[in-house]
Amino acid sequence: MSYGAYQSNEMKDKLVFIRFIVILALLLFAVPLSDCNAQRNATRKAEKELFGKSRRSKPFEEGKAKGAAAKAMKEQEKKEAARDREDEKQLKELRKQHYEKQSLETRERMDNNSRSTEAKYKVKRQKQRKEQKKPELGKPEQPRPEKVKAKPKTKDPKKQPELKQQKRKAKAKLKDPKKQPKHKQHKIKKY
C-alpha cells in the first residue's frame, strides 16, 4: 500500500467520523424540539376544549350563563320562587285551620307556649350577640389540685418542738437577709 492510499483512507475515516458527529448533533437538537412542539400543540388543544377559542379568552364564569341559557335559568328561578311563596301560603292556611279547630283552652295554651318560646329565643339571641361582640379570650379555668398543707397536724408531743423550730428558722430567714441561702452559680464551659 502506498503512502497516498493510506492518506486517502485516513481522510475518508475522518470524513465519515465528521458526518457521524454532525448527524448525531442534528438528532440531539432536532428531536427534542419536535417533541416540545407536539406537546405545545396538545396543550393548546386541551385549552381550546376547556376554555373556548383560544387560551387568551376568559374562562367560563360559574353562575353566569349567557344567552338562552341565562334566560332559561332566570325563568327557572322565578318559578321556584313562586312555588316557595305558594307553599308558604298553604302552610299558613293549614296552621290557621288547625288552630281554629282547637278549643278555647287549647288555643290559650298554644298562645302561651308560642310567647314563651319567642321570649326564650330572644334571650338566646341576645346572649349570642353579646358573646360575638366580646368573646372571652382568656384560658378556660381548669380544676386545681388540692394544696398540701404546710403544717401537719400531729398530736405527737415529740414532733411538736421540731415543727416549732422549723417555723422559727423560716421566719428568721425571711427577716434577716444575711441568713438567706446563697444561689449557686454554674460555671460556663468554654469550648
Side-chain angles (χ1 to χ4, degrees), residues 40-60 66:
R40 282 184 193 162
N41 291 336
T43 54
R44 283 182 187 160
K45 285 179 184 176
E47 286 175 356
K48 279 184 183 179
E49 289 174 8
L50 290 173
F51 303 118
K53 291 182 180 178
S54 68
R55 59 186 165 167
R56 291 180 185 150
S57 64
K58 295 179 183 176
F60 176 75
K66 293 183 180 179

